[in-house]
Amino acid sequence: MLALAVWPLVQLGSMSLHAVSAATLNAEWDFVGLGNYAAMLREPDFGQVLANTLAFVLIVTAIGMVGGFLVAVAVLSSTRGGSFLLGLMVFVWALPPVVNGSIWKFLLADQGLVNQVLRALGGHGVGFLYDSRFALWSVALVNAWAVVPFNALVLRAALLGVDPQVLEAAELDGARPWKRVWHVLMPRAAPRRPSSPS
C-alpha cells in the first residue's frame, strides 16, 4: 500500500509544488510553491473543468452505488441465473482498464457497433466520444460500468450476512420483494456502530 498508493500521492503533491515538464522530469525540479495552483485558478476554463469533474464524480458514484446494490440483490440467490450474473460481474471487474477502454471505444466509435445499429434502424450516428453533449456522459457511463461489479461484490458480501429467516418471515407476512429489499436487506446490511458501554 505504501509503495503503490501512498508514495505516488506524496510524489504528485511534491510535483505540484515544483516546475515539472517533460524536459525536466528526470532532472532537478525548481520549487515554485503555490504558483502552479495560482496559474490553474487563472485559467479561463477552470470553472468548466471543475463542473465537469464534479458531474463525472456524481454520475459514476450514483450509478456505481445504485447499480451495484441492484446487482448485489440479483446475485444474492443461488439460482443458475444469479450464479451466471455473479460470474459475469467478476469477469467485468477483472478486465484490465486498457481492454475495457478498447472494447467501449470499439462500441462507441463513429463507425462502432452502436452507431452501426442506430444507422441500420434508420437513425443517425451519435458522436459519443467527441460530441460535447455526449462525451462526458459516455466516459462517465463507461467508468461506472467498471465500478458496478466491484460495488456489487462488496455489497453482496454484506447482504450475505442477513439472516435468511428474517427474509422468510417478511415474505410470510406478505411483504413484496421491493419492500423486503428496502425494509429488511438495506437496514440489516448497513454497518452498525458499536454500542457504547453503559
Side-chain angles (χ1 to χ4, degrees):
M1 288 295 292
L2 286 175
L4 300 177
V6 177
W7 173 246
L9 287 176
V10 172
Q11 188 75 351
L12 284 174
S14 174
M15 291 174 73
S16 73
L17 301 175
H18 293 80
V20 183
S21 65
T24 63
L25 189 59
N26 294 319
E28 188 174 347
W29 304 333
D30 294 329
F31 182 76
V32 294
L34 299 177
N36 289 331
Y37 293 96
M40 177 185 68
L41 293 174
R42 287 195 298 268
E43 287 289 333
D45 296 331
F46 175 74
Q48 186 63 48
V49 170
L50 183 62
N52 288 346
T53 302
L54 292 175
F56 177 86
V57 170
L58 287 174
I59 294 168
V60 172
T61 303
I63 295 176
M65 292 305 295
V66 174
F69 182 77
L70 293 176
V71 172
V73 172
V75 300
L76 192 58
S77 65
S78 57
T79 61
R80 183 173 296 180
S83 299
F84 173 78
L85 186 57
L86 179 61
L88 183 63
M89 289 296 103
V90 172
F91 174 75
V92 171
W93 174 64
L95 276 178
V98 173
V99 176
N100 198 17
S102 298
I103 292 171
W104 280 102
K105 185 178 180 182
F106 164 74
L107 292 173
L108 299 179
D110 195 41
Q111 298 298 323
L113 182 62
V114 175
N115 275 324
Q116 294 290 0
V117 171
L118 289 175
R119 292 187 183 102
L121 295 174
H124 298 286
V126 177
F128 292 107
L129 302 178
Y130 58 84
D131 193 320
S132 59
R133 296 171 298 172
F134 304 108
L136 177 64
W137 281 96
S138 299
V139 174
L141 291 175
V142 168
N143 197 276
W145 163 262
V147 169
V148 165
F150 177 76
N151 290 348
L153 295 174
V154 172
L155 292 170
R156 179 180 182 270
L159 294 178
L160 286 174
V162 178
D163 189 352
Q165 294 182 352
V166 177
L167 289 171
E168 291 176 11
E171 186 176 2
L172 290 174
D173 286 341
R176 295 183 177 182
W178 69 270
K179 283 195 172 182
R180 295 199 297 271
V181 170
W182 185 261
H183 294 291
V184 179
L185 283 179
M186 286 183 67
R188 290 183 174 269
R192 293 176 177 81
R193 292 182 180 178
S195 56
S196 57
S198 54

